[in-house]
Amino acid sequence: MNECYYDKRMDFFYNRTKTDTADEWTGAQLIGVLCFGTFFCLFIFISNSLVIAAVVKNKRFHFPFYYLLANLAAADFFAGIAYVFLMFNTGPMSKRLTVNHWFLRQGLLDTSLTASLVNLLVIAVERHMSIMRMKIHSNLTKKRVTFLIISIWAIAIFMGAVPTLGWNCLCDITVCSSLAPIYSRSYLMFWSVLNLVIFFIMVVVYIRIYMYVQRKTNVLSSHTSGSISRRRTPVKLMKTVMTVLGAFVVCWTPGLVVLLLDGLNCTDCGVQYVKRWFLLLALLNSVMNPIIYSYKDDEMWATMKRMICCSSEDKSQERRSSRIPSTVLCRSTDTSGHYIEDGIIQGTICGKGDLGDKGNS
């Protein structure tokens, strides 16, 4: 029977796997990392708090899609909390942690990243269902949206707790990974492959959305002279989709590939040299999401500016916002066949499948 090492501190596992914990950090380097990390986290907290507050405050955002957007911001906010906890429990401090303390540190990161990823997948599916049914917003009720949000967090918490529940190497240290010295290599393989599969599904969903909208745009153009904005719609959609998918690929894929290589026990891949940078890159997604999913939506941006400037009664700003194709236009009750076609295109722009490219409006 294998011996278990629940009572050991992390230095036992780090020394055995020869994991670098940056003992050579000087005081100046540590202060620099903490200052950078503090600024990084403050931006995450402030920007995502503004997104949540904007959805709560503006009644035009009281739709299933925007509730999911607010939940994505909450996941990114939680990622900031996880990173703060990591900052003060990494480097030279890593070897002094107990097993349970280390599980908590890593579990917070896994939970936050899983919540963001699953939430993005749910948003992609919601947009796909709405557009394919020729509707601007889905038929999800508040109860169903609430159930989805609870399910997202339940899945995220479960995934973050799986190693603590038993899928670890504390009783079989021969299968311990290098990057996560008390995680089983089989778990790292499972977690990385699962997330890469979800990423692939998201790519397929957004490609289908783009192809459908482009086809509808071509049909509409053949029956009408077409306005400049309609002709630009496929370009705007492609830019937004490429921004969303590009940000995810850049921020997540390198780290997932490194985890997969470590799970495969690749000793010559140099995973130790890049692990910190790829972790920062993955967390950078929590900074980029408010920009991609909120700043490109003129109505969202106007609401956030009003909250920042404390000038909610600025009528001139509201008049400018009303002239931009936004959620207000998308809520028209016109049910003619011609407008439904046009509404699908505008809805894709307004409803985060493509949130209106400010630079091309």
Side-chain angles (χ1 to χ4, degrees):
M1 183 175 180
N2 294 333
E3 181 182 358
C4 297
Y5 299 90
Y6 293 102
D7 58 338
K8 297 290 186 180
R9 288 191 175 271
M10 288 306 300
D11 58 346
F12 171 80
F13 300 97
Y14 279 118
N15 293 335
R16 187 184 180 283
T17 58
K18 299 180 181 179
T19 303
D20 174 27
T21 56
D23 286 326
E24 72 279 3
W25 280 7
T26 64
Q29 288 176 321
L30 185 59
I31 292 175
V33 170
L34 291 177
C35 290
F36 176 79
T38 300
F39 174 79
F40 188 82
C41 292
L42 282 176
F43 184 85
I44 292 176
F45 293 148
I46 294 173
S47 59
N48 286 285
S49 295
L50 285 173
V51 174
I52 297 172
V55 172
V56 172
K57 182 176 180 180
N58 195 331
K59 292 183 179 180
R60 295 172 180 174
F61 298 146
H62 290 183
F63 291 97
F65 162 74
Y66 285 104
Y67 295 145
L68 294 171
L69 176 64
N71 190 54
L72 175 61
D76 292 327
F77 188 96
F78 185 82
I81 296 175
Y83 186 60
V84 168
F85 190 83
L86 173 66
M87 280 195 305
F88 292 98
N89 293 278
T90 192
M93 287 293 298
S94 296
K95 289 187 175 182
R96 305 174 191 174
L97 300 177
T98 63
V99 168
N100 290 333
H101 201 164
W102 195 95
F103 272 136
L104 176 61
R105 189 190 79 172
Q106 197 63 33
L108 290 174
L109 289 172
D110 293 346
T111 298
S112 63
L113 296 181
T114 303
S116 295
L117 182 58
V118 176
N119 208 106
L120 287 171
L121 176 63
V122 172
I123 289 174
V125 173
E126 190 272 344
R127 285 294 87 201
H128 182 271
M129 292 173 57
S130 300
I131 294 171
M132 293 300 172
R133 294 176 181 177
M134 303 177 66
K135 295 181 179 180
I136 304 306
H137 294 288
S138 64
N139 291 328
L140 292 174
T141 63
K142 288 186 177 181
K143 289 184 178 180
R144 290 181 179 179
V145 174
T146 302
F147 173 78
L148 282 175
I149 291 174
I150 293 174
S151 299
I152 289 170
W153 284 102
I155 293 172
I157 293 172
F158 175 76
M159 290 302 298
V162 164
T164 310
L165 297 176
W167 200 345
N168 54 61
C169 63
L170 292 176
C171 294
D172 187 6
I173 58 177
T174 60
V175 298
C176 289
S177 70
S178 175
L179 292 178
I182 58 176
Y183 275 14
S184 172
R185 288 195 299 270
S186 61
Y187 174 74
L188 288 187
M189 292 176 59
F190 163 78
W191 196 84
S192 56
V193 170
L194 176 63
N195 284 279
L196 288 172
V197 169
I198 294 176
F199 164 70
F200 176 77
I201 293 174
M202 288 179 58
V203 172
V204 172
V205 169
Y206 277 113
I207 288 176
R208 281 180 56 84
I209 291 175
Y210 169 75
M211 294 177 63
Y212 180 79
V213 173
Q214 187 179 47
R215 185 169 65 251
K216 288 296 181 180
T217 302
N218 293 335
V219 171
L220 184 63
S221 299
S222 64
H223 291 84
T224 63
S225 59
S227 63
I228 295 177
S229 61
R230 286 176 184 169
R231 292 173 182 175
R232 287 180 179 174
T233 298
V235 178
K236 291 182 179 181
L237 179 60
M238 176 59 77
K239 286 184 177 181
T240 300
V241 171
M242 291 304 296
T243 301
V244 173
L245 297 183
F248 185 81
V249 168
V250 171
C251 292
W252 284 76
T253 304
L256 293 175
V257 171
V258 165
L259 289 177
L260 181 59
L261 291 174
D262 188 37
L264 293 172
N265 199 24
C266 180
T267 56
D268 299 325
C269 297
V271 295
Q272 292 291 340
Y273 300 103
V274 295
K275 63 176 183 178
R276 294 186 188 87
W277 300 109
F278 287 169
L279 174 61
L280 288 173
L281 195 59
L283 289 169
L284 184 62
N285 190 241
S286 298
V287 176
M288 298 177 67
N289 281 337
I291 299 173
I292 297 174
Y293 290 94
S294 302
Y295 180 75
K296 283 180 173 290
D297 188 324
D298 297 302
E299 185 68 30
M300 176 71 73
W301 179 238
T303 303
M304 292 170 65
K305 285 196 297 184
R306 286 197 296 269
M307 291 189 298
I308 293 173
C309 300
C310 298
S311 57
S312 58
E313 299 297 327
D314 189 346
K315 296 182 180 180
S316 62
Q317 190 176 54
E318 291 181 358
R319 286 196 296 269
R320 287 197 300 272
S321 176
S322 65
R323 290 197 294 268
I324 302 174
S326 186
T327 312
V328 180
L329 296 180
C330 298
R331 292 175 62 192
S332 172
T333 57
D334 187 350
T335 58
S336 66
H338 173 81
Y339 186 78
I340 289 177
E341 295 285 356
D342 192 29
I344 293 173
I345 301 170
Q346 289 188 358
T348 309
I349 301 173
C350 308
K352 188 178 174 183
D354 183 13
L355 294 179
D357 193 334
K358 291 175 70 70
N360 291 315
S361 59

